Amino acid sequence: MRRFAAALVGRRTRRRWIHLILGGALAMPYVFVGSTMAGPLLGESMMFGSFASQLLSFAFGLPLAAITALFPLTRPMSVAAVRALCQVPDASLADGPPRSRAARGRTVAWFTLHLGFGGVISGMTLGLVPFATFQILLPVFVGLGDSWLGLPENLQKPWVLAIGPVTGTLFLVALAGCVAGAGALLARWAPLLLGPTPADRLADAERRAADLAVRNRLARELHDSVGHALSAVTLQASAARKLLDRDPEFVREALAAIEETTRRTVGELDTVLGVLREGGERGSTAPAPTLGGDLAGLLDRTRAGGLRVDADIDPEVLRTSGSGYAEALPPMVSREGYRIVQEALSNALKHAGADTVVTLRVALDGSGLEIVAENPLPAAGPASTRPGGGHGLSGIADRARLLGGTAQAGPVGGPSDAAAPADGAATATAPTTWRLHVRLPLRGPA
């Protein structure tokens, strides 16, 4: 009994009742327009004069409502009302205007049903509630005296007074049942008529994939630029502190390198955060570093930190145009190549330490860019990655894969050995060198 009462007058039914009344209110302008056409056809001068006139006005008004439902904002407004009042799961409803003809057709069907059901329920509410209330209170009116009401004698008969409250209550129960049934039907049909179409689901999936790709790219940019800068600054400050009294000239160079590194890193950080800044002016951010325009400065700053870099750079790689990009390299390859070299030097700084000799070769042939970085392993073997880190090699592999290239990294026995796979598995029996070998095609998937 309690469940039956909750289904008729519970919170969910009351909210759906409001949704139906809203549909009736939206239907009224269309029904008024329909009545101007129904009246002359039936020869009635009074608006809504007969029940047939009301039905005909409704029949003329709903097609007009269906036409206006073609406007793009109809679905967002309908979805907002359903979410607020019908207790339909959010995931089953689509957001935004319909993108296809089928979605627009379903929106028209929903809007017409909402206004149709709402008009009927609103009319029943306006008619039945006062009538049922009068029947329930009829014995009270007769007991108080009917002179001011002018009740006919038929309503004062005992059997009428006995069944009046019963029939009034039944009318209210019937109205509540109609409301519950109509509200349940609309709630069931809402996901079918207002839910996402296959095109909507595909667009949402593409949008989520694009957002995830942007997040991954930003994470790589922050790891490579900020991580490299912090490693370089830490080693430069440590070396300057140790030689503060013995080699003031070196200290000045180290401080100048720290200043330049932090200045450039702030610019790169502003570039990355500019992507996240909503409404930000993208033109105000610094351009991304490239091999042609920024590799020489990267090598100078790294050497100032105490790492000895033996670099063999193809002159074509450093040849730049007025825009700052390498003419011989596509812009994407030049940017990603710079980040890969930066991460290789950063790994050498973190794991091999200062005073380590890093052999760097950046060569360009007719089909691709080759980057090879080698440094001696510490005496205790390959250094483990720091806690919470260890994303450098995976970032290099991701960059190479996105450009259609390959990346291999790991300990090897000597300069002539083949590089191990990027997961770090060694192939040499007595590894003495850590090698990173990356090849990026000049043309490939980006």
Side-chain angles (χ1 to χ4, degrees):
M1 187 65 181
R2 181 178 300 177
R3 182 178 300 177
F4 177 74
L8 291 181
V9 295
R11 182 174 181 269
R12 180 176 61 182
T13 302
R14 295 196 304 270
R15 294 173 69 90
R16 291 176 177 175
W17 198 341
I18 296 174
H19 183 253
L20 290 166
I21 296 298
L22 177 61
L26 293 175
M28 288 305 297
Y30 304 102
V31 176
F32 277 129
V33 174
S35 67
T36 61
M37 296 181 287
L41 289 178
L42 297 177
E44 297 181 359
S45 58
M46 185 174 62
M47 185 177 296
F48 307 130
S50 63
F51 183 69
S53 175
Q54 296 175 15
L55 290 180
L56 194 57
S57 300
F58 218 73
F60 284 140
L62 286 182
L64 298 176
I67 294 175
T68 59
L70 293 172
F71 287 99
L73 290 179
T74 301
R75 189 171 77 169
M77 294 174 58
S78 299
V79 168
V82 170
R83 283 175 172 164
L85 298 173
C86 292
Q87 294 186 349
V88 176
D90 290 347
S92 63
L93 300 175
D95 293 314
R99 297 184 177 92
S100 63
R101 181 177 300 178
R104 287 192 292 270
R106 285 195 286 268
T107 302
V108 169
W110 167 262
F111 192 70
T112 306
L113 287 172
H114 182 205
L115 268 60
F117 277 82
V120 172
I121 295 298
S122 298
M124 293 176 63
T125 302
L126 292 175
L128 285 180
V129 171
F131 179 69
T133 303
F134 173 78
Q135 285 191 310
I136 294 173
L137 297 179
L138 183 60
V140 178
F141 294 148
V142 174
L144 294 176
D146 62 339
S147 57
W148 61 283
L149 289 176
L151 296 176
E153 294 183 0
N154 292 335
L155 295 180
Q156 301 182 28
K157 294 180 180 181
W159 65 272
V160 174
L161 298 178
I163 66 172
V166 177
T167 56
T169 302
L170 290 178
F171 279 134
L172 292 179
V173 172
L175 175 61
C178 292
V179 171
L185 284 177
L186 288 181
R188 177 176 296 180
W189 291 338
L192 299 177
L193 299 177
L194 296 178
T197 63
D200 294 328
R201 294 189 180 94
L202 180 60
D204 292 339
E206 291 177 348
R207 184 167 55 252
R208 288 194 297 268
D211 292 341
L212 182 60
V214 170
R215 291 177 57 186
N216 290 337
R217 181 170 62 86
L218 293 178
R220 287 196 303 267
E221 293 291 331
L222 287 174
H223 175 274
D224 292 347
S225 62
V226 178
H228 171 80
L230 291 177
S231 299
V233 167
T234 300
L235 291 176
Q236 288 164 348
S238 176
R241 179 178 57 83
K242 294 177 181 178
L243 300 177
L244 180 61
D245 297 327
R246 290 179 294 169
D247 194 347
E249 182 62 27
F250 175 83
V251 173
R252 281 193 292 269
E253 293 178 359
L255 293 177
I258 291 174
E259 180 183 4
E260 177 64 20
T261 300
T262 53
R263 182 185 294 111
R264 290 185 58 86
T265 304
V266 168
E268 294 178 12
L269 183 62
D270 184 50
T271 300
V272 176
L273 296 181
V275 180
L276 297 175
R277 192 177 299 121
E278 293 184 358
E281 298 181 1
R282 297 294 304 276
S284 62
T285 60
T290 62
L291 286 175
D294 302 277
L295 180 58
L298 174 64
L299 297 177
D300 292 340
R301 293 189 300 273
T302 304
R303 292 186 177 107
L307 191 68
R308 290 179 290 173
V309 182
D310 183 7
D312 180 12
I313 311 298
D314 192 329
E316 288 294 314
V317 174
L318 299 178
R319 183 163 56 88
T320 61
S321 64
S323 62
Y325 292 124
E327 293 181 351
L329 296 176
M332 180 67 73
V333 175
S334 184
R335 290 194 296 267
E336 298 303 318
Y338 176 89
R339 291 301 188 192
I340 290 172
V341 173
Q342 184 184 53
E343 180 61 26
L345 297 178
S346 178
N347 284 338
L349 278 170
K350 287 187 293 185
H351 302 304
D355 297 328
T356 299
V357 178
V358 177
T359 302
L360 176 66
R361 184 168 64 88
V362 181
L364 181 66
D365 56 28
S367 61
L369 176 71
E370 186 177 44
I371 300 173
V372 179
E374 296 179 345
N375 60 269
L377 287 172
S384 60
T385 57
R386 56 184 172 84
H391 302 292
L393 293 180
S394 62
I396 290 176
D398 289 341
R399 293 179 186 275
R401 184 177 64 253
L402 289 175
L403 293 176
T406 59
Q408 295 176 307
V412 295
S416 62
D417 292 339
D423 58 4
T427 59
T429 57
T432 59
T433 303
W434 180 272
R435 174 186 292 171
L436 171 69
H437 180 266
V438 179
R439 182 170 180 82
L440 305 177
L442 299 184
R443 294 183 180 179

